[in-house]
Amino acid sequence: MTILDERFRKFEMLPNEEKIKCFELNGRLFDMILSQQLNRQVLDDIYKITNRLRTIAKSKAGSVFLQTVLCHKRAMLYFAQPSSRTFLSFENACHILGMKTSEIRDPSVSSEVKGESYDDSLRTFSSYTDLIIIRHKGQNMAERSAWLLNTCTNRPVPVINGGSGSDQHPTQAILDVYTLQRSFEDQGGLEGKTILMCGDLKRGRTVRSLSYLMKNFEGVRIIYAAPKIFQMREDVCSFLERHNIPYVVELEELEKVLPEADAIYMTRIQDEHDEYAGESKKTDSSRFMLKVSHLASLRPNAIIMHPFPRRDEIDVAIDADPRAMYWRQERNGMWSRAALIAYIFNVHQQIMDY
Ligand code: NCD
């Protein structure tokens, strides 16, 4: 164990409220690591910037302007786990703002295979770039990166968590809430709505990060529908209890709770986290899939979401239903990530004033 490991272990033991301070600079959001960092004001600001970006980018002159906003900055995308949407939406988000990007998408082509430590690799990325976006199978790697750069180096470049192990995926939660707010615009927004989350809640980082964000919205109620073995973990449930967010657990079947939901958030079984080959397959998850026959029991204004990739949790025939929101949700990712980057670099006022 190195001296850095020892110091990080102490940091990891701090309560979240303490840790979060390490991810701020001058009282502002600097690193985006945990959903718990986001309050309502920051979310609302990011969503205003998102809407503004979309409008500006509609014209060529607007797009050219946006590309000047961060043309003096470079971003590094370190994606040590498979990714299509998160990678592409971040890369394009950077380009919308004029940032140049570099990438390592496979740790086998990084000097880590020559025995370089993760910490040294990270410091190297920070030597060349002004922002690091990380996806990693270890749940504390994004956290460790932000901690390392902020406390042990003189190059504290911001770190954004693009998905850490089975723990958190805060930028997915940002785009999910944006999608919810936009979809319920004419119905008072997300406040007071019932959000049904279904699938692998235990190891799905998207539903975990999304659950944490619900503290920012009054009157939200959550339904967790999954077989017992895939139910939401205790840490998230106790967070909801501490914040008086009501939730119920459905262990039998999705169909029973569908009529109560304003949003149905489906997820796939995260079998890459199985402890042995075939572990997930031992559980029958077929009663937790959305089928065409279910559509009649959904509320007329309900929306269907999925972070993707999907397997068979949502029948493709459902894509034609106007309540299917997942393709739009996917597109929202690029714009809300561009807004987050503009917010972190504190250049959003230029965009709002354009
Ligand atoms: C998710 C992820 O990687 O956690 N995908 C994504 O980023 N949109 C969900 C998943 O892999 O099931």
PDB file of all heavy atoms in Angstrom, residues 128-163:
ATOM      1  N   TYR A 128      -1.607  17.264 -19.775  1.00  0.00           N
ATOM      2  CA  TYR A 128      -1.876  17.688 -21.156  1.00  0.00           C
ATOM      3  C   TYR A 128      -3.244  18.324 -21.354  1.00  0.00           C
ATOM      4  O   TYR A 128      -3.502  18.905 -22.401  1.00  0.00           O
ATOM      5  CB  TYR A 128      -1.787  16.476 -22.106  1.00  0.00           C
ATOM      6  CG  TYR A 128      -0.463  15.741 -22.026  1.00  0.00           C
ATOM      7  CD1 TYR A 128      -0.430  14.362 -21.835  1.00  0.00           C
ATOM      8  CD2 TYR A 128       0.743  16.426 -22.140  1.00  0.00           C
ATOM      9  CE1 TYR A 128       0.769  13.682 -21.761  1.00  0.00           C
ATOM     10  CE2 TYR A 128       1.938  15.750 -22.058  1.00  0.00           C
ATOM     11  CZ  TYR A 128       1.959  14.380 -21.872  1.00  0.00           C
ATOM     12  OH  TYR A 128       3.141  13.716 -21.785  1.00  0.00           O
ATOM     13  N   THR A 129      -4.153  18.099 -20.398  1.00  0.00           N
ATOM     14  CA  THR A 129      -5.540  18.502 -20.667  1.00  0.00           C
ATOM     15  C   THR A 129      -6.137  19.298 -19.499  1.00  0.00           C
ATOM     16  O   THR A 129      -5.571  19.345 -18.407  1.00  0.00           O
ATOM     17  CB  THR A 129      -6.433  17.265 -20.954  1.00  0.00           C
ATOM     18  OG1 THR A 129      -6.413  16.418 -19.812  1.00  0.00           O
ATOM     19  CG2 THR A 129      -5.932  16.493 -22.156  1.00  0.00           C
ATOM     20  N   ASP A 130      -7.292  19.904 -19.753  1.00  0.00           N
ATOM     21  CA  ASP A 130      -7.913  20.799 -18.775  1.00  0.00           C
ATOM     22  C   ASP A 130      -9.171  20.203 -18.146  1.00  0.00           C
ATOM     23  O   ASP A 130      -9.824  20.840 -17.313  1.00  0.00           O
ATOM     24  CB  ASP A 130      -8.316  22.114 -19.474  1.00  0.00           C
ATOM     25  CG  ASP A 130      -7.153  22.718 -20.234  1.00  0.00           C
ATOM     26  OD1 ASP A 130      -6.239  23.223 -19.573  1.00  0.00           O
ATOM     27  OD2 ASP A 130      -7.146  22.641 -21.489  1.00  0.00           O
ATOM     28  N   LEU A 131      -9.553  19.016 -18.599  1.00  0.00           N
ATOM     29  CA  LEU A 131     -10.750  18.354 -18.067  1.00  0.00           C
ATOM     30  C   LEU A 131     -10.556  16.861 -18.295  1.00  0.00           C
ATOM     31  O   LEU A 131     -10.066  16.460 -19.359  1.00  0.00           O
ATOM     32  CB  LEU A 131     -11.994  18.832 -18.850  1.00  0.00           C
ATOM     33  CG  LEU A 131     -13.295  18.041 -18.655  1.00  0.00           C
ATOM     34  CD1 LEU A 131     -13.848  18.235 -17.240  1.00  0.00           C
ATOM     35  CD2 LEU A 131     -14.367  18.486 -19.665  1.00  0.00           C
ATOM     36  N   ILE A 132     -10.910  16.049 -17.292  1.00  0.00           N
ATOM     37  CA  ILE A 132     -10.796  14.603 -17.463  1.00  0.00           C
ATOM     38  C   ILE A 132     -12.161  13.972 -17.218  1.00  0.00           C
ATOM     39  O   ILE A 132     -12.790  14.213 -16.176  1.00  0.00           O
ATOM     40  CB  ILE A 132      -9.737  14.006 -16.499  1.00  0.00           C
ATOM     41  CG1 ILE A 132      -8.370  14.663 -16.755  1.00  0.00           C
ATOM     42  CG2 ILE A 132      -9.634  12.494 -16.675  1.00  0.00           C
ATOM     43  CD1 ILE A 132      -7.288  14.243 -15.779  1.00  0.00           C
ATOM     44  N   ILE A 133     -12.611  13.203 -18.185  1.00  0.00           N
ATOM     45  CA  ILE A 133     -13.902  12.509 -18.056  1.00  0.00           C
ATOM     46  C   ILE A 133     -13.578  11.021 -17.964  1.00  0.00           C
ATOM     47  O   ILE A 133     -12.868  10.478 -18.817  1.00  0.00           O
ATOM     48  CB  ILE A 133     -14.808  12.819 -19.270  1.00  0.00           C
ATOM     49  CG1 ILE A 133     -15.004  14.332 -19.394  1.00  0.00           C
ATOM     50  CG2 ILE A 133     -16.156  12.101 -19.133  1.00  0.00           C
ATOM     51  CD1 ILE A 133     -15.486  14.794 -20.762  1.00  0.00           C
ATOM     52  N   ILE A 134     -14.064  10.379 -16.903  1.00  0.00           N
ATOM     53  CA  ILE A 134     -13.630   9.008 -16.614  1.00  0.00           C
ATOM     54  C   ILE A 134     -14.789   8.036 -16.523  1.00  0.00           C
ATOM     55  O   ILE A 134     -15.792   8.309 -15.850  1.00  0.00           O
ATOM     56  CB  ILE A 134     -12.917   8.957 -15.241  1.00  0.00           C
ATOM     57  CG1 ILE A 134     -11.637   9.775 -15.300  1.00  0.00           C
ATOM     58  CG2 ILE A 134     -12.605   7.527 -14.812  1.00  0.00           C
ATOM     59  CD1 ILE A 134     -10.899   9.784 -14.006  1.00  0.00           C
ATOM     60  N   ARG A 135     -14.639   6.917 -17.189  1.00  0.00           N
ATOM     61  CA  ARG A 135     -15.518   5.769 -16.915  1.00  0.00           C
ATOM     62  C   ARG A 135     -14.615   4.631 -16.474  1.00  0.00           C
ATOM     63  O   ARG A 135     -13.607   4.335 -17.129  1.00  0.00           O
ATOM     64  CB  ARG A 135     -16.311   5.380 -18.155  1.00  0.00           C
ATOM     65  CG  ARG A 135     -16.931   4.007 -17.999  1.00  0.00           C
ATOM     66  CD  ARG A 135     -17.954   3.713 -19.032  1.00  0.00           C
ATOM     67  NE  ARG A 135     -19.146   4.518 -18.834  1.00  0.00           N
ATOM     68  CZ  ARG A 135     -20.329   4.191 -19.350  1.00  0.00           C
ATOM     69  NH1 ARG A 135     -20.476   3.118 -20.079  1.00  0.00           N
ATOM     70  NH2 ARG A 135     -21.380   4.971 -19.152  1.00  0.00           N
ATOM     71  N   HIS A 136     -14.976   3.987 -15.388  1.00  0.00           N
ATOM     72  CA  HIS A 136     -14.099   2.950 -14.829  1.00  0.00           C
ATOM     73  C   HIS A 136     -14.916   1.879 -14.128  1.00  0.00           C
ATOM     74  O   HIS A 136     -15.974   2.175 -13.590  1.00  0.00           O
ATOM     75  CB  HIS A 136     -13.115   3.602 -13.850  1.00  0.00           C
ATOM     76  CG  HIS A 136     -11.836   2.841 -13.717  1.00  0.00           C
ATOM     77  ND1 HIS A 136     -11.750   1.683 -12.976  1.00  0.00           N
ATOM     78  CD2 HIS A 136     -10.606   3.054 -14.235  1.00  0.00           C
ATOM     79  CE1 HIS A 136     -10.505   1.227 -13.041  1.00  0.00           C
ATOM     80  NE2 HIS A 136      -9.787   2.040 -13.812  1.00  0.00           N
ATOM     81  N   LYS A 137     -14.383   0.662 -14.117  1.00  0.00           N
ATOM     82  CA  LYS A 137     -15.137  -0.405 -13.449  1.00  0.00           C
ATOM     83  C   LYS A 137     -15.054  -0.299 -11.921  1.00  0.00           C
ATOM     84  O   LYS A 137     -15.913  -0.790 -11.209  1.00  0.00           O
ATOM     85  CB  LYS A 137     -14.691  -1.785 -13.928  1.00  0.00           C
ATOM     86  CG  LYS A 137     -13.293  -2.209 -13.544  1.00  0.00           C
ATOM     87  CD  LYS A 137     -13.072  -3.649 -14.034  1.00  0.00           C
ATOM     88  CE  LYS A 137     -11.794  -4.296 -13.551  1.00  0.00           C
ATOM     89  NZ  LYS A 137     -10.546  -3.591 -13.777  1.00  0.00           N
ATOM     90  N   GLY A 138     -14.054   0.394 -11.427  1.00  0.00           N
ATOM     91  CA  GLY A 138     -13.925   0.568  -9.969  1.00  0.00           C
ATOM     92  C   GLY A 138     -14.796   1.717  -9.511  1.00  0.00           C
ATOM     93  O   GLY A 138     -14.792   2.779 -10.114  1.00  0.00           O
ATOM     94  N   GLN A 139     -15.543   1.499  -8.424  1.00  0.00           N
ATOM     95  CA  GLN A 139     -16.492   2.540  -8.090  1.00  0.00           C
ATOM     96  C   GLN A 139     -15.865   3.775  -7.462  1.00  0.00           C
ATOM     97  O   GLN A 139     -16.471   4.826  -7.431  1.00  0.00           O
ATOM     98  CB  GLN A 139     -17.631   2.046  -7.224  1.00  0.00           C
ATOM     99  CG  GLN A 139     -17.306   1.259  -6.013  1.00  0.00           C
ATOM    100  CD  GLN A 139     -18.568   0.504  -5.645  1.00  0.00           C
ATOM    101  OE1 GLN A 139     -19.164  -0.159  -6.494  1.00  0.00           O
ATOM    102  NE2 GLN A 139     -18.984   0.615  -4.416  1.00  0.00           N
ATOM    103  N   ASN A 140     -14.637   3.635  -6.968  1.00  0.00           N
ATOM    104  CA  ASN A 140     -14.054   4.831  -6.361  1.00  0.00           C
ATOM    105  C   ASN A 140     -12.985   5.482  -7.249  1.00  0.00           C
ATOM    106  O   ASN A 140     -12.287   6.364  -6.810  1.00  0.00           O
ATOM    107  CB  ASN A 140     -13.489   4.509  -4.984  1.00  0.00           C
ATOM    108  CG  ASN A 140     -12.520   3.348  -5.061  1.00  0.00           C
ATOM    109  OD1 ASN A 140     -12.125   2.944  -6.165  1.00  0.00           O
ATOM    110  ND2 ASN A 140     -12.130   2.810  -3.922  1.00  0.00           N
ATOM    111  N   MET A 141     -12.879   5.060  -8.498  1.00  0.00           N
ATOM    112  CA  MET A 141     -11.803   5.583  -9.337  1.00  0.00           C
ATOM    113  C   MET A 141     -12.022   7.040  -9.741  1.00  0.00           C
ATOM    114  O   MET A 141     -11.056   7.820  -9.770  1.00  0.00           O
ATOM    115  CB  MET A 141     -11.593   4.703 -10.563  1.00  0.00           C
ATOM    116  CG  MET A 141     -10.909   3.404 -10.237  1.00  0.00           C
ATOM    117  SD  MET A 141      -9.538   3.620  -9.095  1.00  0.00           S
ATOM    118  CE  MET A 141      -8.487   2.288  -9.565  1.00  0.00           C
ATOM    119  N   ALA A 142     -13.252   7.410 -10.049  1.00  0.00           N
ATOM    120  CA  ALA A 142     -13.517   8.818 -10.385  1.00  0.00           C
ATOM    121  C   ALA A 142     -13.264   9.671  -9.134  1.00  0.00           C
ATOM    122  O   ALA A 142     -12.651  10.741  -9.202  1.00  0.00           O
ATOM    123  CB  ALA A 142     -14.944   8.991 -10.877  1.00  0.00           C
ATOM    124  N   GLU A 143     -13.730   9.137  -8.010  1.00  0.00           N
ATOM    125  CA  GLU A 143     -13.557   9.829  -6.743  1.00  0.00           C
ATOM    126  C   GLU A 143     -12.061   9.982  -6.413  1.00  0.00           C
ATOM    127  O   GLU A 143     -11.599  11.047  -6.031  1.00  0.00           O
ATOM    128  CB  GLU A 143     -14.246   8.983  -5.670  1.00  0.00           C
ATOM    129  CG  GLU A 143     -14.495   9.676  -4.384  1.00  0.00           C
ATOM    130  CD  GLU A 143     -15.459   8.863  -3.518  1.00  0.00           C
ATOM    131  OE1 GLU A 143     -16.537   8.461  -4.007  1.00  0.00           O
ATOM    132  OE2 GLU A 143     -15.119   8.620  -2.361  1.00  0.00           O
ATOM    133  N   ARG A 144     -11.347   8.891  -6.599  1.00  0.00           N
ATOM    134  CA  ARG A 144      -9.906   8.928  -6.313  1.00  0.00           C
ATOM    135  C   ARG A 144      -9.198   9.938  -7.230  1.00  0.00           C
ATOM    136  O   ARG A 144      -8.306  10.667  -6.801  1.00  0.00           O
ATOM    137  CB  ARG A 144      -9.278   7.552  -6.493  1.00  0.00           C
ATOM    138  CG  ARG A 144      -7.781   7.607  -6.269  1.00  0.00           C
ATOM    139  CD  ARG A 144      -7.199   6.301  -5.879  1.00  0.00           C
ATOM    140  NE  ARG A 144      -5.790   6.439  -5.561  1.00  0.00           N
ATOM    141  CZ  ARG A 144      -5.162   5.692  -4.673  1.00  0.00           C
ATOM    142  NH1 ARG A 144      -5.834   4.788  -4.008  1.00  0.00           N
ATOM    143  NH2 ARG A 144      -3.892   5.850  -4.442  1.00  0.00           N
ATOM    144  N   SER A 145      -9.605   9.968  -8.492  1.00  0.00           N
ATOM    145  CA  SER A 145      -8.961  10.872  -9.442  1.00  0.00           C
ATOM    146  C   SER A 145      -9.143  12.320  -9.021  1.00  0.00           C
ATOM    147  O   SER A 145      -8.184  13.105  -9.025  1.00  0.00           O
ATOM    148  CB  SER A 145      -9.565  10.686 -10.829  1.00  0.00           C
ATOM    149  OG  SER A 145      -9.647   9.328 -11.139  1.00  0.00           O
ATOM    150  N   ALA A 146     -10.381  12.666  -8.665  1.00  0.00           N
ATOM    151  CA  ALA A 146     -10.661  14.048  -8.271  1.00  0.00           C
ATOM    152  C   ALA A 146      -9.894  14.382  -6.992  1.00  0.00           C
ATOM    153  O   ALA A 146      -9.265  15.443  -6.882  1.00  0.00           O
ATOM    154  CB  ALA A 146     -12.156  14.235  -8.065  1.00  0.00           C
ATOM    155  N   TRP A 147      -9.927  13.462  -6.051  1.00  0.00           N
ATOM    156  CA  TRP A 147      -9.216  13.669  -4.777  1.00  0.00           C
ATOM    157  C   TRP A 147      -7.716  13.856  -5.029  1.00  0.00           C
ATOM    158  O   TRP A 147      -7.100  14.782  -4.510  1.00  0.00           O
ATOM    159  CB  TRP A 147      -9.475  12.462  -3.867  1.00  0.00           C
ATOM    160  CG  TRP A 147      -8.559  12.388  -2.691  1.00  0.00           C
ATOM    161  CD1 TRP A 147      -8.708  13.045  -1.504  1.00  0.00           C
ATOM    162  CD2 TRP A 147      -7.335  11.650  -2.604  1.00  0.00           C
ATOM    163  NE1 TRP A 147      -7.641  12.760  -0.682  1.00  0.00           N
ATOM    164  CE2 TRP A 147      -6.787  11.901  -1.327  1.00  0.00           C
ATOM    165  CE3 TRP A 147      -6.642  10.794  -3.472  1.00  0.00           C
ATOM    166  CZ2 TRP A 147      -5.586  11.330  -0.909  1.00  0.00           C
ATOM    167  CZ3 TRP A 147      -5.446  10.226  -3.056  1.00  0.00           C
ATOM    168  CH2 TRP A 147      -4.936  10.504  -1.778  1.00  0.00           C
ATOM    169  N   LEU A 148      -7.155  12.970  -5.872  1.00  0.00           N
ATOM    170  CA  LEU A 148      -5.712  13.007  -6.139  1.00  0.00           C
ATOM    171  C   LEU A 148      -5.303  14.353  -6.733  1.00  0.00           C
ATOM    172  O   LEU A 148      -4.373  15.008  -6.264  1.00  0.00           O
ATOM    173  CB  LEU A 148      -5.334  11.873  -7.097  1.00  0.00           C
ATOM    174  CG  LEU A 148      -3.864  11.822  -7.492  1.00  0.00           C
ATOM    175  CD1 LEU A 148      -3.072  11.008  -6.478  1.00  0.00           C
ATOM    176  CD2 LEU A 148      -3.666  11.219  -8.870  1.00  0.00           C
ATOM    177  N   LEU A 149      -6.017  14.759  -7.793  1.00  0.00           N
ATOM    178  CA  LEU A 149      -5.621  15.992  -8.480  1.00  0.00           C
ATOM    179  C   LEU A 149      -5.834  17.222  -7.598  1.00  0.00           C
ATOM    180  O   LEU A 149      -5.054  18.166  -7.643  1.00  0.00           O
ATOM    181  CB  LEU A 149      -6.374  16.134  -9.803  1.00  0.00           C
ATOM    182  CG  LEU A 149      -6.120  15.023 -10.831  1.00  0.00           C
ATOM    183  CD1 LEU A 149      -6.917  15.269 -12.093  1.00  0.00           C
ATOM    184  CD2 LEU A 149      -4.629  14.895 -11.179  1.00  0.00           C
ATOM    185  N   ASN A 150      -6.898  17.190  -6.773  1.00  0.00           N
ATOM    186  CA  ASN A 150      -7.207  18.367  -5.950  1.00  0.00           C
ATOM    187  C   ASN A 150      -6.312  18.489  -4.733  1.00  0.00           C
ATOM    188  O   ASN A 150      -6.039  19.595  -4.281  1.00  0.00           O
ATOM    189  CB  ASN A 150      -8.662  18.318  -5.462  1.00  0.00           C
ATOM    190  CG  ASN A 150      -9.650  18.492  -6.597  1.00  0.00           C
ATOM    191  OD1 ASN A 150      -9.265  18.857  -7.701  1.00  0.00           O
ATOM    192  ND2 ASN A 150     -10.913  18.219  -6.340  1.00  0.00           N
ATOM    193  N   THR A 151      -5.886  17.363  -4.184  1.00  0.00           N
ATOM    194  CA  THR A 151      -5.174  17.465  -2.909  1.00  0.00           C
ATOM    195  C   THR A 151      -3.692  17.091  -2.999  1.00  0.00           C
ATOM    196  O   THR A 151      -2.933  17.436  -2.116  1.00  0.00           O
ATOM    197  CB  THR A 151      -5.843  16.588  -1.816  1.00  0.00           C
ATOM    198  OG1 THR A 151      -5.800  15.235  -2.256  1.00  0.00           O
ATOM    199  CG2 THR A 151      -7.276  16.983  -1.558  1.00  0.00           C
ATOM    200  N   CYS A 152      -3.292  16.360  -4.041  1.00  0.00           N
ATOM    201  CA  CYS A 152      -1.898  15.898  -4.071  1.00  0.00           C
ATOM    202  C   CYS A 152      -1.100  16.483  -5.231  1.00  0.00           C
ATOM    203  O   CYS A 152       0.049  16.108  -5.425  1.00  0.00           O
ATOM    204  CB  CYS A 152      -1.843  14.373  -4.176  1.00  0.00           C
ATOM    205  SG  CYS A 152      -2.834  13.529  -2.972  1.00  0.00           S
ATOM    206  N   THR A 153      -1.711  17.319  -6.075  1.00  0.00           N
ATOM    207  CA  THR A 153      -0.962  17.854  -7.214  1.00  0.00           C
ATOM    208  C   THR A 153      -1.225  19.355  -7.334  1.00  0.00           C
ATOM    209  O   THR A 153      -2.141  19.885  -6.705  1.00  0.00           O
ATOM    210  CB  THR A 153      -1.395  17.215  -8.562  1.00  0.00           C
ATOM    211  OG1 THR A 153      -2.628  17.813  -8.979  1.00  0.00           O
ATOM    212  CG2 THR A 153      -1.584  15.717  -8.466  1.00  0.00           C
ATOM    213  N   ASN A 154      -0.420  20.003  -8.163  1.00  0.00           N
ATOM    214  CA  ASN A 154      -0.698  21.422  -8.388  1.00  0.00           C
ATOM    215  C   ASN A 154      -1.416  21.643  -9.721  1.00  0.00           C
ATOM    216  O   ASN A 154      -1.394  22.723 -10.274  1.00  0.00           O
ATOM    217  CB  ASN A 154       0.594  22.260  -8.300  1.00  0.00           C
ATOM    218  CG  ASN A 154       1.648  21.741  -9.261  1.00  0.00           C
ATOM    219  OD1 ASN A 154       1.358  20.824 -10.049  1.00  0.00           O
ATOM    220  ND2 ASN A 154       2.850  22.296  -9.208  1.00  0.00           N
ATOM    221  N   ARG A 155      -2.006  20.571 -10.244  1.00  0.00           N
ATOM    222  CA  ARG A 155      -2.828  20.710 -11.457  1.00  0.00           C
ATOM    223  C   ARG A 155      -4.219  20.149 -11.215  1.00  0.00           C
ATOM    224  O   ARG A 155      -4.569  19.072 -11.721  1.00  0.00           O
ATOM    225  CB  ARG A 155      -2.170  19.986 -12.643  1.00  0.00           C
ATOM    226  CG  ARG A 155      -1.097  20.841 -13.343  1.00  0.00           C
ATOM    227  CD  ARG A 155      -0.722  20.277 -14.694  1.00  0.00           C
ATOM    228  NE  ARG A 155      -1.841  20.236 -15.651  1.00  0.00           N
ATOM    229  CZ  ARG A 155      -2.269  21.295 -16.328  1.00  0.00           C
ATOM    230  NH1 ARG A 155      -1.709  22.467 -16.172  1.00  0.00           N
ATOM    231  NH2 ARG A 155      -3.260  21.170 -17.175  1.00  0.00           N
ATOM    232  N   PRO A 156      -5.007  20.839 -10.413  1.00  0.00           N
ATOM    233  CA  PRO A 156      -6.337  20.320 -10.110  1.00  0.00           C
ATOM    234  C   PRO A 156      -7.317  20.558 -11.258  1.00  0.00           C
ATOM    235  O   PRO A 156      -8.137  21.455 -11.220  1.00  0.00           O
ATOM    236  CB  PRO A 156      -6.744  21.108  -8.858  1.00  0.00           C
ATOM    237  CG  PRO A 156      -6.015  22.402  -8.961  1.00  0.00           C
ATOM    238  CD  PRO A 156      -4.762  22.147  -9.758  1.00  0.00           C
ATOM    239  N   VAL A 157      -7.207  19.738 -12.327  1.00  0.00           N
ATOM    240  CA  VAL A 157      -8.178  19.911 -13.419  1.00  0.00           C
ATOM    241  C   VAL A 157      -9.466  19.195 -13.024  1.00  0.00           C
ATOM    242  O   VAL A 157      -9.421  18.202 -12.308  1.00  0.00           O
ATOM    243  CB  VAL A 157      -7.642  19.389 -14.783  1.00  0.00           C
ATOM    244  CG1 VAL A 157      -6.259  19.927 -15.079  1.00  0.00           C
ATOM    245  CG2 VAL A 157      -7.645  17.880 -14.854  1.00  0.00           C
ATOM    246  N   PRO A 158     -10.621  19.707 -13.449  1.00  0.00           N
ATOM    247  CA  PRO A 158     -11.876  19.059 -13.066  1.00  0.00           C
ATOM    248  C   PRO A 158     -11.993  17.626 -13.603  1.00  0.00           C
ATOM    249  O   PRO A 158     -11.513  17.326 -14.699  1.00  0.00           O
ATOM    250  CB  PRO A 158     -12.965  19.955 -13.667  1.00  0.00           C
ATOM    251  CG  PRO A 158     -12.286  20.991 -14.476  1.00  0.00           C
ATOM    252  CD  PRO A 158     -10.821  20.935 -14.223  1.00  0.00           C
ATOM    253  N   VAL A 159     -12.642  16.788 -12.821  1.00  0.00           N
ATOM    254  CA  VAL A 159     -12.893  15.397 -13.205  1.00  0.00           C
ATOM    255  C   VAL A 159     -14.404  15.189 -13.251  1.00  0.00           C
ATOM    256  O   VAL A 159     -15.120  15.608 -12.338  1.00  0.00           O
ATOM    257  CB  VAL A 159     -12.270  14.419 -12.171  1.00  0.00           C
ATOM    258  CG1 VAL A 159     -12.656  12.977 -12.479  1.00  0.00           C
ATOM    259  CG2 VAL A 159     -10.757  14.569 -12.126  1.00  0.00           C
ATOM    260  N   ILE A 160     -14.867  14.562 -14.316  1.00  0.00           N
ATOM    261  CA  ILE A 160     -16.294  14.210 -14.406  1.00  0.00           C
ATOM    262  C   ILE A 160     -16.413  12.698 -14.423  1.00  0.00           C
ATOM    263  O   ILE A 160     -15.721  12.011 -15.184  1.00  0.00           O
ATOM    264  CB  ILE A 160     -16.956  14.808 -15.671  1.00  0.00           C
ATOM    265  CG1 ILE A 160     -16.874  16.343 -15.647  1.00  0.00           C
ATOM    266  CG2 ILE A 160     -18.414  14.355 -15.766  1.00  0.00           C
ATOM    267  CD1 ILE A 160     -17.516  17.011 -16.879  1.00  0.00           C
ATOM    268  N   ASN A 161     -17.292  12.191 -13.581  1.00  0.00           N
ATOM    269  CA  ASN A 161     -17.546  10.760 -13.479  1.00  0.00           C
ATOM    270  C   ASN A 161     -18.518  10.333 -14.593  1.00  0.00           C
ATOM    271  O   ASN A 161     -19.685  10.709 -14.580  1.00  0.00           O
ATOM    272  CB  ASN A 161     -18.156  10.507 -12.087  1.00  0.00           C
ATOM    273  CG  ASN A 161     -18.509   9.063 -11.849  1.00  0.00           C
ATOM    274  OD1 ASN A 161     -18.333   8.216 -12.723  1.00  0.00           O
ATOM    275  ND2 ASN A 161     -19.009   8.781 -10.647  1.00  0.00           N
ATOM    276  N   GLY A 162     -18.013   9.553 -15.539  1.00  0.00           N
ATOM    277  CA  GLY A 162     -18.879   9.068 -16.635  1.00  0.00           C
ATOM    278  C   GLY A 162     -19.374   7.658 -16.374  1.00  0.00           C
ATOM    279  O   GLY A 162     -19.702   6.934 -17.321  1.00  0.00           O
ATOM    280  N   GLY A 163     -19.441   7.284 -15.103  1.00  0.00           N
ATOM    281  CA  GLY A 163     -19.915   5.944 -14.720  1.00  0.00           C
ATOM    282  C   GLY A 163     -18.835   5.233 -13.939  1.00  0.00           C
ATOM    283  O   GLY A 163     -17.782   4.938 -14.484  1.00  0.00           O
TER     284      GLY A 163
END
